[in-house]
Amino acid sequence: MDKIAQVLDNKLVLDEVLHLFYEIILLQRETLGERHHETVWTMYLTAALLDRRHNLDQSLYWIYQVLVNQIDILGEQHPATVYIKSMIASALELRHDFEESLHWFHQVLVLRRKAVGEEHPDTIGIEFAIIKVLIKKGDFDEALHWLQRILALQERTVGEEHDGTMAIVYVVARVFEYKNDYNAALEWYRRAFIQGQRKFGEKEERTLRIASDIARIEEHQQQQQQQRLLSLNKNAIFYYDAAAEEERWRSDA
């Protein structure tokens, strides 16, 4: 597999493979038809190669072609169709088209919930994908809303010390930091640290990383406090000098 990846990373080879796929698709359309599973599979491979080449517009074009055919052949709720929709959402996210990406991820979420339920890891995985887009979009309050809901679900179903639950606590802390709400971020980092310390020990890599996050936030808060004190001192000196100058002016008069 590594050798195949190295070959496909070669731009000239990739161009040749794509050209070959385009010819195969034309031939398959003529001989097998647009909706034959082999034609659709070649379209999918073409989209995947274009995605590898970071040609997102062309990749999306072929993914859309695959989706139309998948819906017609397998139906809207087939796992393969749902997967193609998630591919579209991910490609749109990479293109920074966050609103459209969220639109497609929400479609996938509805289908996942219907197929496997609210608490299934696949469903939660899609919710995390939505949260990631919301964070990239800068919609931190909405991201926190989703995180709190998933956290309550995780605590109820797998417990507070499950790796997935602890990961969510850490992400909540990080989002509060992105919001510049350092008090809330520190509270959640400390919660994550206590969980990590209890489960993994003080010297485990994840626990040490959280300790580093706490130290960074505390240092930032100390710097802010020092800046506020410096600003207050400057203001006090200014008003003192102004008052002294006014007193001298009155004395001279």
Side-chain angles (χ1 to χ4, degrees), residues 13-195:
V13 173
L14 190 55
D15 286 343
E16 290 179 8
V17 173
L18 283 169
H19 181 71
L20 179 61
F21 277 174
Y22 293 145
E23 290 186 347
I24 292 172
I25 290 170
L26 285 173
L27 183 61
Q28 287 176 327
R29 279 172 167 167
E30 290 177 2
T31 57
L32 301 174
E34 178 81 16
R35 287 171 172 70
H36 192 278
H37 66 90
E38 290 186 14
T39 310
V40 176
W41 176 243
T42 310
M43 290 178 183
Y44 169 80
L45 292 176
T46 303
L49 284 175
L50 286 162
D51 181 69
R52 190 181 189 90
R53 193 177 163 186
H54 306 294
N55 190 336
L56 296 177
D57 289 337
Q58 282 294 310
S59 177
L60 275 167
Y61 168 80
W62 287 106
I63 296 174
Y64 283 129
Q65 298 297 312
V66 172
L67 178 63
V68 170
N69 289 303
Q70 287 284 81
I71 291 173
D72 188 65
I73 298 166
L74 301 173
E76 185 85 25
Q77 298 182 23
H78 192 279
T81 308
V82 177
Y83 174 72
I84 296 300
K85 287 190 173 189
S86 69
M87 280 185 65
I88 292 172
S90 297
L92 288 165
E93 178 190 347
L94 289 173
R95 204 171 66 171
H96 290 190
D97 194 345
F98 298 133
E99 289 295 341
E100 274 297 300
S101 175
L102 287 170
H103 169 74
W104 284 92
F105 273 131
H106 280 296
Q107 283 192 39
V108 174
L109 180 60
V110 169
L111 293 168
R112 284 275 190 247
R113 283 173 172 168
K114 186 181 292 187
V116 295
E118 187 85 18
E119 299 174 3
H120 194 279
D122 287 350
T123 306
I124 295 172
I126 295 300
E127 291 178 327
F128 263 113
I130 290 171
I131 290 165
K132 187 173 71 168
V133 177
L134 289 168
I135 292 171
K136 287 183 177 181
K137 187 171 172 273
D139 196 345
F140 301 130
D141 288 333
E142 185 66 15
L144 285 167
H145 171 76
W146 282 80
L147 282 165
Q148 297 279 14
R149 199 187 64 76
I150 297 173
L151 179 60
L153 176 65
Q154 287 284 99
E155 287 177 339
R156 189 177 74 249
T157 55
V158 294
E160 289 188 2
E161 294 191 0
H162 187 274
D163 286 358
T165 309
M166 294 169 66
I168 297 168
V169 171
Y170 182 80
V171 174
V172 170
R174 183 70 80 181
V175 174
F176 273 119
E177 185 177 355
Y178 293 154
K179 275 189 70 177
N180 297 327
D181 188 343
Y182 297 111
N183 288 329
L186 195 56
E187 177 187 339
W188 283 87
Y189 277 132
R190 284 171 176 161
R191 178 176 170 180
F193 178 77
I194 291 169
Q195 289 177 329

Side-chain angles (χ1 to χ4, degrees), residues 232-246:
L232 288 171
N233 287 336
K234 285 181 178 179
N235 287 336
I237 291 170
F238 172 79
Y239 286 117
Y240 176 81
D241 289 343
E245 182 62 29
E246 183 179 357

